[in-house]
Amino acid sequence: MANKSAIITGASRGIGRGISLELAQIGYDLVINYAGNQEAALKTVEDCKGAAHEAGHAISAIAVKADVGGAGDREHLIQSARDQFGRLDLLINNAGITSIGRADILDAKEENFDQLMAVNLKGPFFLTQQAANWMIDLCKEGIIESPKIVTISSISAYTVSVNRADYCMAKAALGMMTKLYAVRLAEHGIRVYEICPGIIASDMTAPVQAKYDKLIAEGLTPMPRWGQPSDIGKTITALAQDYLPFSTGEVINVDGGFHMRKL
């Protein structure tokens, strides 16, 4: 039987890489998407094959360069999955960029706003649209069953950072996108989820490591540690293996308890 397959955007490093490694261990064929760092993407491909082998699986994995903010690149990404695997069981919308320049909201530049929104919001919206239409066809043809679409958002969806307004707004909008697609696709048997990571050790958070080391030590999160990309990956594998069969449109917090208010 053919392996199930997944597209993971922004998968060369960080959270995307962690997700890819966990999916490899449960036997998924993988499309490792990257925007610029081919070397890191190819390393992720090889590491995923190795992780799968250690877990007793034989998988295929390919690296595909595509900027999800561009329509042509999104089409190329989907077509690469069609050509290589002929199926798509799981889409992970993970690719994103941080706020360019981290300017105060009173000084933010329109061109930077547009660039971030193209990658962090427009890209996932229209990539999900393309993937969902293909998944519907695949389900009708009996090639796949119970596919899923998972979008990685952030605690920034509800936590204000006035020097990252565009980032916060895009992440908040992804939450509504998840609900919209969850409702629209439920009749087709496609389940849609949002995963909301907290403070995760990655390239994006490396420049502010000292700041968050201090905040975590002072009790920022009930669980007093950094999150790891594998924490997100393990959550994805639970969804991929149908451990939440009667759930869609759900927000899953993977944040060490940050989302809970406490006195």
Side-chain angles (χ1 to χ4, degrees), residues 20-31:
S20 301
L21 288 167
E22 295 295 332
L23 286 172
Q25 292 178 61
I26 60 170
Y28 266 71
D29 289 336
L30 304 171
V31 176

Side-chain angles (χ1 to χ4, degrees), residues 85-104:
F85 301 124
R87 64 186 292 160
L88 180 62
D89 301 85
L90 178 62
L91 170 66
I92 308 295
N93 289 309
N94 171 70
I97 60 175
T98 192
S99 189
I100 301 166
R102 291 176 177 256
D104 182 86

Side-chain angles (χ1 to χ4, degrees), residues 2-5 81-82 85-89 134 138 143-144:
N3 292 339
K4 291 183 176 182
S5 74
R82 286 182 185 270
F85 301 124
R87 64 186 292 160
L88 180 62
D89 301 85
W134 183 23
L138 289 168
I143 296 173
I144 65 172

Side-chain angles (χ1 to χ4, degrees), residues 141-157:
E141 295 165 12
I143 296 173
I144 65 172
E145 59 180 20
S146 191
K148 292 114 188 141
I149 297 169
V150 184
T151 295
I152 309 300
S153 65
S154 170
I155 57 175
S156 292

Side-chain angles (χ1 to χ4, degrees), residues 125-223:
F125 181 88
F126 286 105
L127 185 63
T128 295
Q129 182 188 74
Q130 286 183 266
N133 280 310
W134 183 23
M135 286 174 169
I136 289 168
D137 291 340
L138 289 168
C139 288
K140 289 178 179 176
E141 295 165 12
I143 296 173
I144 65 172
E145 59 180 20
S146 191
K148 292 114 188 141
I149 297 169
V150 184
T151 295
I152 309 300
S153 65
S154 170
I155 57 175
S156 292
Y158 59 85
T159 305
V160 170
S161 296
V162 295
N163 66 331
R164 296 187 302 135
D166 46 4
Y167 186 84
C168 294
M169 291 164 67
K171 292 300 184 180
L174 288 176
M176 178 53 71
M177 185 191 87
T178 296
K179 294 176 176 63
L180 287 163
Y181 274 114
V183 169
R184 181 63 182 85
L185 298 176
E187 66 182 279
H188 299 287
I190 301 171
R191 303 205 299 278
V192 185
Y193 301 92
E194 175 188 359
I195 291 180
C196 192
I199 301 164
I200 307 296
S202 69
D203 290 351
M204 188 178 288
T205 55
V208 289
Q209 179 180 345
K211 170 186 174 181
Y212 284 112
D213 282 345
K214 182 175 184 293
L215 289 172
I216 291 169
E218 292 171 349
L220 179 68
T221 56
M223 298 175 68

